[in-house]
Amino acid sequence: MSLLIKGGLVVTATGSYVADVLAENGKIVAIGVDLGNTADEVVDARGKYVLPGAIDPHTHLCMPFMGTYAQDDYKSGTIAAACGGVTTVIDFQIQQKGESIRQGLNRKMALAEGMVAVDYSLHPAITDPRPEVIDEVKQAILEYGTPSFKIFMVYDFRVDDATMIKLLERTRKHGGLVQVHAENPHIIQHMNEKLEHEGKLAPYYHAVSRPNIAEEEAVERAARLAEFTGSRLYIVHLSSREGLAKVKEFRSRGIDIYAETCPQYLLLDEECYKEADFGGAKYVMSPPLRTRESNAALWGGLKAGDVQVMATDHCPFDFNGKKDMFGKDDYKKIPNGAPGIETLLPLLHSEGVVTGKISLEKMVDVLATSTARIFGLKDKGAIEVGKDADIVVFDPARKFTIAQDKLHMNVDYNPYENRDVTGMPEVVFSRGQRVAEWQNDRVEFVGVPGHGRFVKRVPLRD
Ligand code: URP
Ligand code: ZN
Ligand code: ZN
């Protein structure tokens, strides 16, 4: 099976040029000025961008959480991913009490088996750090193909600093990476009690209860422990100007600290929590939406290279029956999370590249190239000979108005409803197979669930 994409603007993390791209049996085998016209499938990409498929390294598919579950399973979630130009997903496998890392991975892989529409990997999230689990980190890095480990500094299933130190040491030794959800639980607990006492329980107070300092302090503590152990560290879903300032400070001291942010922390702010009719509940996520100052700081962080990865933290809960039921009288009970896997690329292009906040090459870097490098996805993340033919032919001029009923995520609302975007995927390929394409007024899935494979990632050695 061969695929020839002709005459598009091939975009890499460092530059762009017009070329043909030839793929055979799922791999890119040639890139050149005129590679002829003979292939099983020929795509005219003149006037279009040829991008590496985006990688979303932060999703919660089928996740039980706060008394309910994230609604997208591996089928609907990866169909939505494909339609948004995301061709690799790294999902979280949150360890259950008593489980080994291997058992947790097997549990999630069984759910994914035969369902995934694009390739996927898993990050074990360590919540029950028994000594044998800490010992298993080596195997997870070297044998299971999962070299990144998430820990939570907040929630009931958080780990303590001693566990963080142990994980940082093990990952340094064997080529792994610790990812942290950085929020200080004591500040949040204190604010929760205070707000409860004052009867302030509407969705807006979710943001008040988790002030910027809660992120700033946790980023600083994690970074100090990474400095102490000489390890690399990755901050997930960075949301605040203050948290970013800490990332910058430690990076300037030579600490290997990476940061990820998400479209919601660039484009939405705490005013959303005031939406009428309990609508603010749609935006209840942790960390919370911040102010416009934080939005602007994070755009600056992306541009300057202090934030290296864009992800979604895709964690969908219906508004009707979930968001509006669980926390009607108390923001603390509203399931935390929001959908986003399908809108990542269109939003970053429209709001970042079209507005001139970041370059096209930076977009490719933070959506694919740098993500693949940081997480050990050696065959993904770039339009290069030898890489998987995960390719998005992207129409930079296509107009689309984001609407929940034109998208594929299994959820009843969209945080960006009615937002106009410029630029949408025209055709999406996963290892050379067409999985999604623009038809009439939206992108449609044209692939096969089960085509996606578990990708073993390599240890991180640079
Ligand atoms: O609110 C969020 N982010 N929900 C998903 C779990 C997490 O903290 O990433
Ligand atoms: Zn988190
Ligand atoms: Zn998350």
mmCIF file of all heavy atoms in Angstrom, residues 58 60 65 150 152 155 181 237 285-286 313 315 336-337, ligand 1:
data_model
loop_
_atom_site.group_PDB
_atom_site.id
_atom_site.type_symbol
_atom_site.label_atom_id
_atom_site.label_comp_id
_atom_site.label_asym_id
_atom_site.label_seq_id
_atom_site.Cartn_x
_atom_site.Cartn_y
_atom_site.Cartn_z
ATOM 1 N N HIS A 58 -2.006 13.644 26.913
ATOM 2 C CA HIS A 58 -2.727 13.789 28.186
ATOM 3 C C HIS A 58 -4.215 13.583 27.959
ATOM 4 O O HIS A 58 -4.962 14.528 27.699
ATOM 5 C CB HIS A 58 -2.454 15.172 28.783
ATOM 6 C CG HIS A 58 -2.940 15.319 30.198
ATOM 7 N ND1 HIS A 58 -2.290 16.118 31.118
ATOM 8 C CD2 HIS A 58 -3.994 14.788 30.857
ATOM 9 C CE1 HIS A 58 -2.934 16.059 32.274
ATOM 10 N NE2 HIS A 58 -3.994 15.255 32.131
ATOM 11 N N HIS A 60 -7.804 11.106 29.326
ATOM 12 C CA HIS A 60 -8.386 10.221 30.340
ATOM 13 C C HIS A 60 -9.568 9.497 29.695
ATOM 14 O O HIS A 60 -10.712 9.925 29.832
ATOM 15 C CB HIS A 60 -8.879 11.028 31.537
ATOM 16 C CG HIS A 60 -7.808 11.803 32.236
ATOM 17 N ND1 HIS A 60 -6.960 11.246 33.158
ATOM 18 C CD2 HIS A 60 -7.440 13.109 32.134
ATOM 19 C CE1 HIS A 60 -6.112 12.161 33.617
ATOM 20 N NE2 HIS A 60 -6.382 13.310 33.004
ATOM 21 N N PHE A 65 -13.945 8.525 37.871
ATOM 22 C CA PHE A 65 -13.464 9.733 38.567
ATOM 23 C C PHE A 65 -14.626 10.429 39.260
ATOM 24 O O PHE A 65 -15.685 10.610 38.650
ATOM 25 C CB PHE A 65 -12.826 10.672 37.527
ATOM 26 C CG PHE A 65 -11.957 11.764 38.113
ATOM 27 C CD1 PHE A 65 -10.990 11.486 39.061
ATOM 28 C CD2 PHE A 65 -12.096 13.077 37.686
ATOM 29 C CE1 PHE A 65 -10.175 12.482 39.578
ATOM 30 C CE2 PHE A 65 -11.292 14.092 38.189
ATOM 31 C CZ PHE A 65 -10.329 13.790 39.143
ATOM 32 N N LYS A 150 2.995 9.278 35.900
ATOM 33 C CA LYS A 150 2.357 10.465 36.469
ATOM 34 C C LYS A 150 2.163 10.287 37.970
ATOM 35 O O LYS A 150 1.834 9.194 38.435
ATOM 36 C CB LYS A 150 0.990 10.702 35.823
ATOM 37 C CG LYS A 150 0.299 11.959 36.365
ATOM 38 C CD LYS A 150 -0.915 12.341 35.566
ATOM 39 C CE LYS A 150 -1.572 13.604 36.114
ATOM 40 N NZ LYS A 150 -2.810 13.940 35.412
ATOM 41 N N PHE A 152 0.198 12.508 41.256
ATOM 42 C CA PHE A 152 -0.670 13.614 41.637
ATOM 43 C C PHE A 152 -0.174 14.149 42.974
ATOM 44 O O PHE A 152 0.055 13.378 43.900
ATOM 45 C CB PHE A 152 -2.111 13.132 41.785
ATOM 46 C CG PHE A 152 -2.731 12.632 40.499
ATOM 47 C CD1 PHE A 152 -2.592 11.302 40.120
ATOM 48 C CD2 PHE A 152 -3.445 13.484 39.668
ATOM 49 C CE1 PHE A 152 -3.156 10.832 38.937
ATOM 50 C CE2 PHE A 152 -4.017 13.021 38.484
ATOM 51 C CZ PHE A 152 -3.873 11.694 38.119
ATOM 52 N N TYR A 155 -5.571 15.571 45.246
ATOM 53 C CA TYR A 155 -6.619 14.542 45.222
ATOM 54 C C TYR A 155 -6.324 13.500 46.310
ATOM 55 O O TYR A 155 -5.208 13.403 46.804
ATOM 56 C CB TYR A 155 -6.755 13.795 43.881
ATOM 57 C CG TYR A 155 -7.076 14.626 42.640
ATOM 58 C CD1 TYR A 155 -6.339 14.456 41.470
ATOM 59 C CD2 TYR A 155 -8.117 15.541 42.622
ATOM 60 C CE1 TYR A 155 -6.620 15.177 40.304
ATOM 61 C CE2 TYR A 155 -8.406 16.263 41.464
ATOM 62 C CZ TYR A 155 -7.652 16.083 40.319
ATOM 63 O OH TYR A 155 -7.934 16.788 39.187
ATOM 64 N N HIS A 181 1.053 16.387 38.444
ATOM 65 C CA HIS A 181 -0.082 17.305 38.561
ATOM 66 C C HIS A 181 0.260 18.132 39.796
ATOM 67 O O HIS A 181 0.187 17.654 40.927
ATOM 68 C CB HIS A 181 -1.384 16.535 38.741
ATOM 69 C CG HIS A 181 -2.569 17.415 38.999
ATOM 70 N ND1 HIS A 181 -3.807 17.185 38.455
ATOM 71 C CD2 HIS A 181 -2.719 18.533 39.766
ATOM 72 C CE1 HIS A 181 -4.657 18.119 38.876
ATOM 73 N NE2 HIS A 181 -4.020 18.949 39.680
ATOM 74 N N HIS A 237 -0.436 19.966 32.460
ATOM 75 C CA HIS A 237 -1.450 21.039 32.421
ATOM 76 C C HIS A 237 -1.099 22.289 33.238
ATOM 77 O O HIS A 237 -1.844 22.703 34.147
ATOM 78 C CB HIS A 237 -2.852 20.535 32.763
ATOM 79 C CG HIS A 237 -3.025 19.704 34.012
ATOM 80 N ND1 HIS A 237 -2.431 20.013 35.201
ATOM 81 C CD2 HIS A 237 -3.768 18.587 34.244
ATOM 82 C CE1 HIS A 237 -2.800 19.131 36.114
ATOM 83 N NE2 HIS A 237 -3.603 18.242 35.546
ATOM 84 N N MET A 285 -12.477 22.202 36.197
ATOM 85 C CA MET A 285 -11.361 21.292 35.924
ATOM 86 C C MET A 285 -10.241 21.717 36.864
ATOM 87 O O MET A 285 -10.270 22.822 37.412
ATOM 88 C CB MET A 285 -10.912 21.443 34.466
ATOM 89 C CG MET A 285 -10.422 22.844 34.165
ATOM 90 S SD MET A 285 -10.023 23.144 32.451
ATOM 91 C CE MET A 285 -11.626 23.343 31.708
ATOM 92 N N SER A 286 -9.285 20.847 37.029
ATOM 93 C CA SER A 286 -8.180 21.194 37.923
ATOM 94 C C SER A 286 -6.848 20.964 37.225
ATOM 95 O O SER A 286 -6.661 19.893 36.666
ATOM 96 C CB SER A 286 -8.239 20.339 39.192
ATOM 97 O OG SER A 286 -9.397 20.680 39.895
ATOM 98 N N ASP A 313 -5.723 17.230 28.200
ATOM 99 C CA ASP A 313 -6.355 16.799 29.449
ATOM 100 C C ASP A 313 -7.818 16.431 29.174
ATOM 101 O O ASP A 313 -8.716 16.748 29.961
ATOM 102 C CB ASP A 313 -6.252 17.888 30.524
ATOM 103 C CG ASP A 313 -6.533 17.357 31.915
ATOM 104 O OD1 ASP A 313 -6.696 16.133 32.071
ATOM 105 O OD2 ASP A 313 -6.610 18.173 32.851
ATOM 106 N N CYS A 315 -11.114 15.004 29.254
ATOM 107 C CA CYS A 315 -11.757 14.283 30.367
ATOM 108 C C CYS A 315 -13.235 14.683 30.352
ATOM 109 O O CYS A 315 -13.674 15.547 31.120
ATOM 110 C CB CYS A 315 -11.062 14.686 31.669
ATOM 111 S SG CYS A 315 -11.540 13.681 33.068
ATOM 112 N N ASN A 336 -14.469 16.953 37.807
ATOM 113 C CA ASN A 336 -13.418 17.825 37.253
ATOM 114 C C ASN A 336 -12.989 17.319 35.885
ATOM 115 O O ASN A 336 -12.506 16.189 35.759
ATOM 116 C CB ASN A 336 -12.176 17.791 38.149
ATOM 117 C CG ASN A 336 -12.298 18.643 39.398
ATOM 118 O OD1 ASN A 336 -11.285 19.097 39.926
ATOM 119 N ND2 ASN A 336 -13.505 18.845 39.905
ATOM 120 N N GLY A 337 -13.083 18.162 34.882
ATOM 121 C CA GLY A 337 -12.570 17.784 33.568
ATOM 122 C C GLY A 337 -13.425 18.348 32.465
ATOM 123 O O GLY A 337 -14.576 18.745 32.690
HETATM 124 O O1 URP B 1 -9.853 18.358 35.993
HETATM 125 C C1 URP B 1 -9.125 17.510 35.514
HETATM 126 N N1 URP B 1 -7.969 17.889 35.041
HETATM 127 N N2 URP B 1 -9.528 16.229 35.449
HETATM 128 C C2 URP B 1 -8.776 15.126 35.038
HETATM 129 C C3 URP B 1 -7.817 14.624 36.063
HETATM 130 C C4 URP B 1 -6.556 15.448 36.100
HETATM 131 O O2 URP B 1 -6.271 16.053 37.117
HETATM 132 O O3 URP B 1 -5.799 15.488 35.140
#
